[in-house]
């Protein structure tokens, strides 16, 4: 069955900053977070919506601090993608954060978040084995792996 454009119900959601902090010794910081919509805990990147009057890197820095208690000196955006281009209109800005400093997280009251570190190889295996189910986390890990293989990390 084909859908006609006037039948679609589009969803507009604020843009998102997705952060992939990578330590000097190659450890990737991820989070485990319970997602009520799915009723399960996901292994995923640190991410959050970009607020009004905030640019993507400002949002990335804020989310990194809030969700994982981390700060970073060096930032680079390594991709901007759209989410479900036929139904959901949103932009996802993907950042590599380097020169990490560990502090204290301050997640929102309704966020059950656990910080996790693993090597990029372990993260890649988690994607390939299906342990990482989040599409943006998977894409980011695969891109970082490719960048490392090309000598770009």
């Amino acid at each position: 069955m084909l859908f006609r454009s006037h039948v679609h119900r589009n969803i507009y959601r604020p843009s998102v900053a997705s952060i992939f902090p990578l330590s000097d010794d190659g450890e990737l910081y991820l989070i485990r977070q319970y997602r009520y919509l799915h009723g399960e805990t996901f292994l995923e990147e640190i991410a959050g919506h970009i607020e009004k009057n905030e640019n993507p890197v400002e949002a990335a820095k804020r989310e990194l601090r809030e969700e994982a208690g981390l700060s970073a000196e060096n930032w680079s955006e390594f991709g901007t993608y759209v989410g479900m281009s036929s139904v959901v209109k949103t932009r996802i800005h993907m950042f590599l954060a380097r020169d990490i400093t560990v502090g204290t997280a301050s997640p929102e009251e309704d966020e059950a978040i656990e910080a996790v570190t693993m090597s990029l190889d372990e993260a890649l295996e988690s994607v390939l084995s299906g342990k990482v189910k989040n599409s943006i986390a998977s894409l980011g890990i695969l891109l970082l792996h490719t960048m490392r293989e090309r000598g770009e990390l």
Side-chain angles (χ1 to χ4, degrees):
M1 173 179 192
L2 294 176
F3 289 90
R4 296 174 189 243
S5 62
H6 71 279
V7 176
H8 278 294
R9 301 290 182 240
N10 296 322
I11 299 167
Y12 296 87
R13 107 179 242 238
S15 293
V16 173
S18 290
I19 308 99
F20 296 83
L22 191 62
S23 72
D24 291 340
D25 59 358
E27 292 289 305
L28 183 63
Y29 292 83
L30 299 171
I31 58 173
R32 280 196 180 88
Q33 184 169 9
Y34 182 78
R35 296 296 187 177
Y36 296 97
L37 179 62
H38 298 279
E40 64 180 289
T41 300
F42 286 85
L43 180 61
E44 55 193 32
E45 86 284 13
I46 298 157
H49 290 108
I50 300 169
E51 295 179 0
K52 209 173 201 176
N53 302 319
E54 189 175 45
N55 68 45
V57 75
E58 290 169 340
K61 290 177 180 181
R62 177 182 49 76
E63 289 293 340
L64 183 63
R65 186 178 54 257
E66 288 175 3
E67 292 192 354
L70 303 173
S71 61
E73 287 295 316
N74 293 312
W75 291 85
S76 59
E77 187 168 355
F78 65 97
T80 302
Y81 298 90
V82 297
M84 294 183 60
S85 58
S86 65
V87 178
V88 178
K89 184 173 183 179
T90 189
R91 289 236 175 261
I92 300 149
H93 300 267
M94 298 173 70
F95 291 94
L96 173 62
R98 304 294 302 259
D99 298 322
I100 307 298
T101 300
V102 178
T104 303
S106 56
E108 295 177 21
E109 286 183 28
D110 64 341
E111 292 180 317
I113 299 173
E114 173 193 358
V116 175
T117 58
M118 62 181 65
S119 70
L120 189 51
D121 288 335
E122 290 171 311
L124 177 64
E125 184 54 39
S126 293
V127 169
L128 298 176
S129 69
K131 290 179 185 171
V132 174
K133 298 176 185 177
N134 174 299
S135 60
I136 298 304
S138 298
L139 175 60
I141 292 166
L142 292 169
L143 287 170
L144 290 174
H145 170 73
T146 301
M147 291 165 64
R148 183 182 64 184
E149 292 294 307
R150 292 179 175 175
E152 298 170 3
L153 276 184

